[in-house]
Amino acid sequence: MVEATILRLCEGRYLTLDDLADLLNRSKDSLRNHYINPMLEDGRIEAKYKNVPTHPLQGYRTVARTESEE
């Protein structure tokens, strides 16, 4: 349920980890370790600054899927 909510919140816009933590009332570390990192690895979300994972303005958005992928 948390993953589905993250995907909906990040549709069409980048949200920072701070934004997501506030919206979901979760700790940043918990979100990063249990949701963000696995979702980045399997390609469901993408990072705004792909080559700088610790960028202070790092944001995440849902990766658009084509109909054939759904």
Side-chain angles (χ1 to χ4, degrees), residues 23-35:
L23 290 167
L24 298 168
N25 197 29
R26 301 264 179 152
S27 77
K28 292 191 302 184
D29 288 338
S30 175
L31 277 176
R32 183 185 306 108
N33 294 326
H34 297 286
Y35 301 102

Side-chain angles (χ1 to χ4, degrees), residues 25-57:
N25 197 29
R26 301 264 179 152
S27 77
K28 292 191 302 184
D29 288 338
S30 175
L31 277 176
R32 183 185 306 108
N33 294 326
H34 297 286
Y35 301 102
I36 300 300
N37 287 341
M39 293 172 78
L40 282 167
E41 288 173 16
D42 67 18
R44 287 182 286 164
I45 61 173
E46 65 182 2
K48 185 174 187 177
Y49 302 99
K50 294 168 182 62
N51 297 325
V52 188
T54 58
H55 193 287
L57 299 176

Side-chain angles (χ1 to χ4, degrees), residues 3-15 20 44-45 60-65 70:
E3 289 181 357
T5 303
I6 291 170
L7 290 172
R8 274 191 233 105
L9 289 170
C10 294
E11 277 183 17
R13 63 180 172 171
Y14 286 101
L15 289 176
L20 289 168
R44 287 182 286 164
I45 61 173
Y60 307 96
R61 75 173 176 185
T62 303
V63 174
R65 301 262 186 223
E70 293 178 347

